[in-house]
Amino acid sequence: MKTPQRMGGIAALIGAATTLLGAVVFAALLAPKGLGSTDADPGKTVALLVDNQGAMRAFNLIIFLAFGVTLIFLSLALYERLKAGSTVLAQAATIFTLIWAVLVIVVGTLSIIDLSTVVKLHGENPAQAATVWLTLNSVETGLGAGGGETIVSGLWLLLLSWAALRARALPRLLIYLGVVTGVAGILSVLALTGLQAVYALGLIIWFAWLGT
């Protein structure tokens, strides 16, 4: 029991670190240059990606693929900790964790492949590369933070908090933080985009607290 819980704690801390890295890099470096904005010039965005393709590949590898793998280890540790309260809830929470992990890994893989495609096309036809980027990026956004992945993670936090409350396996304040963060994530997709910052910050704190 001790080893899975230790691995789960490490996975949660890695999750906090990768989420923090993603938030800081996006807010400080990418957003000011127009990445992630619906009003951004696709031609300038593609040129920026071409000039920084190595750094962008490493960034996507860390915040998506590494994060997705940690979720798998975290799901196993959480199941062991929560199953005493309700096996069904613990199993459901585990399934949602794995769905989230798959989405994150898929988005990360697409991001790296799409970047390579656009970079190659840019050398032949910059205008066409910009058009292709718009299409590929819309798919990534739909699966990732712009939609599916955030909805799944929000529902996961709500379900996990319910299971933890039943099992009395986590601090009550941590459980409430999970509820607030989950609701903020869901609402940030469905109605209130301003809650994205609340969701991101809540997720970082929640992971760090869970890990310790």
Side-chain angles (χ1 to χ4, degrees):
M1 176 66 73
K2 191 174 181 179
T3 299
Q5 292 302 300
R6 181 177 289 113
M7 291 178 62
I10 294 172
L13 292 175
I14 293 174
T18 54
T19 305
L20 177 61
L21 174 66
V24 170
V25 171
F26 181 79
L29 300 178
L30 302 183
K33 295 182 179 179
L35 267 73
S37 172
T38 55
D39 300 327
D41 184 337
K44 292 182 179 179
T45 299
V46 170
L48 179 64
L49 294 174
V50 170
D51 292 338
N52 300 275
Q53 53 184 295
M56 289 303 301
R57 284 196 183 93
F59 179 64
N60 290 331
L61 183 66
I62 293 172
I63 67 166
F64 289 119
L65 300 186
F67 178 63
V69 172
T70 64
L71 286 176
I72 296 174
F73 288 97
L74 180 59
S75 69
L76 299 177
L78 285 172
Y79 175 75
E80 291 295 329
R81 191 155 189 170
L82 300 178
K83 66 180 181 180
S86 173
T87 303
V88 174
L89 281 177
Q91 290 175 339
T94 302
I95 292 172
F96 267 85
T97 316
L98 296 177
I99 293 174
W100 186 17
V102 169
L103 283 174
V104 170
I105 292 173
V106 167
V107 171
T109 304
L110 284 176
S111 299
I112 295 172
I113 294 175
D114 293 347
L115 177 61
S116 299
T117 300
V118 171
V119 168
K120 181 179 179 181
L121 189 58
H122 184 267
E124 303 169 357
N125 190 331
Q128 186 178 3
T131 302
V132 170
W133 170 251
L134 285 175
T135 302
L136 298 177
N137 187 60
S138 65
V139 176
E140 294 175 23
T141 301
L143 290 172
E149 182 256 322
T150 307
I151 289 289
V152 171
S153 63
L155 291 173
W156 170 70
L157 279 169
L158 294 178
L159 187 60
L160 185 67
S161 298
W162 183 15
L165 194 61
R166 289 281 301 273
R168 298 181 180 179
L170 296 175
R172 190 171 293 269
L173 286 178
L174 178 60
I175 293 174
Y176 293 154
L177 175 62
V179 172
V180 172
T181 303
V183 171
I186 294 172
L187 291 179
S188 72
V189 175
L190 299 180
L192 305 173
T193 56
L195 290 177
Q196 290 176 351
V198 176
Y199 166 73
L201 180 60
L203 199 60
I204 293 168
I205 297 173
W206 189 87
F207 272 127
W209 191 347
L210 179 69
T212 56

